[in-house]
Amino acid sequence: MNLYSSIFEVIDMRSFSNLWYWIVLAVLWSSASHWAMGVPFDLVSRARRNGGQAEQDLLDIVRINVNRLIYIVEVSGLVILAFGCFFFTGLATLGFYYGIELAQAVFLLLFPVGLVMLINISAARKLQRTEVGLEPVAKILTRCRIYTQIVGMISILITSLWGMYQNFSFGVLG
């Protein structure tokens, strides 16, 4: 057995039949729903419950993340959008036109994350326009988290259905 076959046996290039792919998918959406706009959501709960220093910490981290995200979007947002469109078009073409399963898997992982980034940018712009206070900030971050969870649920559903189709059509049972 040569080196290449050993490597490809350990790293299964059939992503949808690989357990590690599904673990990455679960960890990705678990992390994405916990970090609403870069702010850990437990800070929102703790600030609502305790107030005081926890509230000030939440407002400070939100202010920092809003300013950072808005600055990135204003300075290089168009370039990031162009590279993102190029990257996702390439992945979609390789995956769904040419049938490369690894490209399909990466596309189904990362494209919804791009949608979550748009949700975060929208939330940052809302936070930039609103008055600084616990309730408006908590409401916007909660809504951002709910939208992220909705995108995550739809993404997991579509990825699961596509993965089952791939495994049944071209996998062991196909």
Side-chain angles (χ1 to χ4, degrees), residues 4-174:
Y4 292 116
S5 61
S6 298
I7 289 173
F8 283 115
E9 187 175 319
V10 172
I11 304 171
D12 186 13
M13 298 308 276
R14 292 194 34 83
S15 302
F16 296 114
S17 62
N18 193 337
L19 176 64
W20 290 107
Y21 178 78
W22 299 105
I23 292 172
V24 167
L25 182 71
V27 169
L28 172 78
W29 286 110
S30 174
S31 298
S33 67
H34 178 69
W35 293 84
M37 209 190 68
V39 177
F41 199 74
D42 62 302
L43 279 180
V44 177
S45 302
R46 191 171 54 198
R48 280 183 166 164
R49 186 176 52 242
N50 298 338
Q53 186 61 42
E55 180 179 342
Q56 190 60 43
D57 290 346
L58 173 68
L59 295 177
D60 288 343
I61 196 167
V62 166
R63 179 185 48 79
I64 290 167
N65 284 343
V66 164
N67 290 339
R68 181 175 82 38
L69 192 56
I70 296 298
Y71 175 77
I72 290 170
V73 168
E74 288 176 352
V75 170
S76 58
L78 192 59
V79 173
I80 292 171
L81 179 67
F83 280 124
C85 289
F86 174 76
F87 178 72
F88 288 129
T89 302
L91 276 178
T93 303
L94 285 172
F96 299 105
Y97 184 75
Y98 290 109
I100 298 173
E101 187 174 324
L102 183 63
Q104 293 171 2
V106 173
F107 180 83
L108 290 172
L109 276 177
L110 295 182
F111 184 74
V113 174
L115 298 177
V116 169
M117 283 306 302
L118 294 176
I119 292 169
N120 288 339
I121 291 168
S122 174
R125 293 206 185 272
K126 283 181 190 173
L127 285 167
Q128 191 179 38
R129 290 189 308 263
T130 60
E131 62 184 54
V132 176
L134 177 62
E135 281 312 308
V137 168
K139 181 179 177 184
I140 291 171
L141 287 178
T142 302
R143 189 169 290 142
C144 178
R145 183 178 192 216
I146 289 171
Y147 292 156
T148 300
Q149 288 174 337
I150 291 170
V151 169
M153 288 187 303
I154 294 169
S155 170
I156 290 170
L157 176 70
I158 291 172
T159 303
S160 300
L161 292 174
W162 186 257
M164 286 187 286
Y165 169 74
Q166 288 293 333
N167 286 335
F168 287 146
S169 297
F170 308 108
V172 178
L173 301 175

